[in-house]
Amino acid sequence: MDALALEAKGAKSEGGPAAPAPAAAPSKPRPKPPKKAKRIVYFELEILDVKTREKLLLLDKVEPTATILDIKSMFHKSNPHWYPARQSLCLDPKGKPLKDEEILQELPVGTTATFYFRDLGAQMSWGTVFLIECIGPLVIYLLFYFRLPLIYAPKYEFTASKHLVVHIACVCHSFHYGKRILETLFVHRFSQGTMPMRNIFKNCFYYWCSAAWMAYYINHPLYTPPYYGEKQVKAALAIFLFCQLGSFSIHMALRNLKLPGCKIKKIPYPTKNPFTWIFALVSCPNYTYELGSWLGFTLMTQCVPVLFFTVVGFIQMTVWAKGKHRSYLKEFKEYPTLRSPILPFIL
């Protein structure tokens, strides 16, 4: 009985469902073959003197991502007296200088290239130049205002003018150049780092001599006030202060437009500051306000040397404004066409 039961039970188990097969082990992914290193094509650069065509340096195995500034630094290592700011490199003896940020592999050259070197002469930072230009007129004008010896007749030494406009003019002149000094130190961000040192003599001669010329007549003991008296002085003072505030507002707007060390150019637009709304009509409102300041000072003092300085300054600022305006139009296709360089709808 027990044997029959066991036999039946064994038969039932044989006819039942089969036991599940063990799961197959997951196959390991095949390792990817190592990537082949990209082949770097190095450049060979020859640097020649632009005048004598003398070979100054041969650079071998220059990386394609090197910038012009990197090449200038390499050149400086072999020629310590030619620091990067003093160098000008171009691809053609009569071509335009290459910008420091341009990349070697993006230039229209092969792997063997020739650069032409031009010595720009001793350089000085723009900030230093601006400070020297502005400190001179500030000091020179005050020498005439206080009537130091050897300027006027001995009986007028260290005397004060009896005309109120003379004192107002001194405050305005000092405020203008003091403002420019502070803006140079804390506001301006110069796109170009240096300028030839020889230019400082030309610039200082213009600013310093002009300041002495106008200061001599305004502070002269025989100076006569404006024709319309106090009304003319007040109107001129209002114009001067308005334009000085406008100039400062524009400089702050331009500063906020460019981050430190960033060379990407942007289109300046009006901000919430009403003094910047002139950006809708003018490309260089800083020159517009500068012109307005000197027109106000001319009206205030009614002095021919001041008028001459204003006219010459206007001509020079117009040249700069037209150049900046053309640069905007060339770089930005969406640049507002309504804008004029310096004077709305006129110039």
Side-chain angles (χ1 to χ4, degrees):
M1 183 70 182
D2 292 337
L4 291 172
L6 289 172
E7 186 177 353
K9 186 176 181 182
K12 187 177 180 181
S13 63
E14 287 178 8
S27 59
K28 295 182 179 179
R30 295 181 180 179
K32 296 182 179 180
K35 293 183 178 180
K36 294 182 179 180
K38 292 184 178 180
R39 182 182 176 185
I40 299 177
V41 179
Y42 292 98
F43 284 69
E44 182 180 280
L45 307 180
E46 183 183 43
I47 300 180
L48 306 180
D49 186 278
V50 71
K51 295 181 180 179
T52 63
R53 301 297 191 271
E54 176 188 355
K55 183 187 290 186
L56 301 176
L57 183 65
L58 180 64
L59 296 173
D60 191 18
K61 291 187 177 181
V62 180
E63 294 187 359
T65 56
T67 63
I68 296 299
L69 182 59
D70 295 333
I71 298 173
K72 289 182 178 180
S73 299
M74 299 176 195
F75 186 75
H76 174 53
K77 290 181 181 179
S78 301
N79 302 272
H81 58 288
W82 286 325
Y83 44 89
R86 187 168 179 163
Q87 303 174 32
S88 172
L89 295 178
C90 51
L91 297 176
D92 185 85
K94 297 181 180 180
K96 293 183 179 180
L98 298 170
K99 297 180 180 179
D100 287 348
E101 60 270 19
E102 292 190 69
I103 301 174
L104 180 58
Q105 64 183 358
E106 296 178 359
L107 297 176
V109 296
T111 55
T112 302
T114 300
F115 287 84
Y116 294 91
F117 163 80
R118 180 181 284 105
D119 183 12
L120 298 177
Q123 300 288 301
M124 181 177 289
S125 69
W126 275 91
T128 304
V129 173
F130 269 45
L131 289 176
I132 296 175
E133 287 179 359
C134 296
I135 291 174
L138 178 63
V139 174
I140 289 173
Y141 193 98
L142 292 176
L143 297 179
F144 287 87
Y145 174 74
F146 290 111
R147 296 177 178 175
L148 266 61
L150 306 179
I151 297 178
Y152 303 113
K155 64 179 181 179
Y156 296 116
E157 293 178 0
F158 298 106
T159 58
S161 175
K162 60 182 180 180
H163 302 300
L164 179 61
V165 64
V166 173
H167 306 294
I168 295 176
C170 180
V171 173
C172 290
H173 190 275
S174 301
F175 176 81
H176 173 73
Y177 282 102
K179 166 181 162 293
R180 288 187 60 175
I181 292 172
L182 293 176
E183 287 178 339
T184 300
L185 293 173
F186 304 109
V187 177
H188 291 320
R189 288 176 178 154
F190 300 99
S191 56
Q192 296 180 350
T194 61
M195 69 177 294
M197 190 178 294
R198 60 181 177 271
N199 288 0
I200 193 172
F201 299 102
K202 176 184 64 177
N203 294 9
C204 287
F205 177 82
Y206 169 68
Y207 284 105
W208 292 18
C209 291
S210 297
W213 189 26
M214 66 177 71
Y216 175 82
Y217 285 100
I218 296 174
N219 297 285
H220 198 282
L222 301 180
Y223 170 79
T224 54
Y227 182 78
Y228 292 101
E230 187 177 341
K231 291 182 179 180
Q232 182 173 334
V233 173
K234 288 182 178 180
L237 179 61
I239 295 173
F240 177 85
L241 293 177
F242 178 86
C243 291
Q244 287 291 287
L245 289 174
S247 173
F248 176 74
S249 300
I250 296 300
H251 289 156
M252 288 301 299
L254 294 175
R255 170 187 169 83
N256 296 333
L257 192 67
K258 185 186 297 184
L259 298 175
C262 180
K263 293 188 176 182
I264 299 176
K265 296 183 179 180
K266 300 178 182 178
I267 301 176
Y269 286 103
T271 66
K272 295 180 180 179
N273 185 342
F275 286 102
T276 66
W277 294 353
I278 192 175
F279 266 126
L281 301 175
V282 171
S283 293
C284 302
N286 50 324
Y287 296 144
T288 309
Y289 282 124
E290 182 76 5
L291 173 63
S293 296
W294 283 107
L295 285 175
F297 195 72
T298 302
L299 182 65
M300 178 192 305
T301 58
Q302 199 169 293
C303 186
V304 173
V306 181
L307 176 62
F308 178 83
F309 179 80
T310 302
V311 171
V312 174
F314 171 61
I315 294 172
Q316 180 60 71
M317 287 188 292
T318 300
V319 174
W320 292 336
K322 286 185 174 181
K324 189 69 173 178
H325 185 71
R326 286 194 299 267
S327 177
Y328 280 138
L329 293 174
K330 183 178 179 180
E331 294 182 26
F332 304 104
K333 295 181 180 179
E334 68 279 12
Y335 191 74
T337 56
L338 186 62
R339 296 186 186 183
S340 301
I342 187 171
L343 297 178
F345 309 113
I346 301 175
L347 185 63

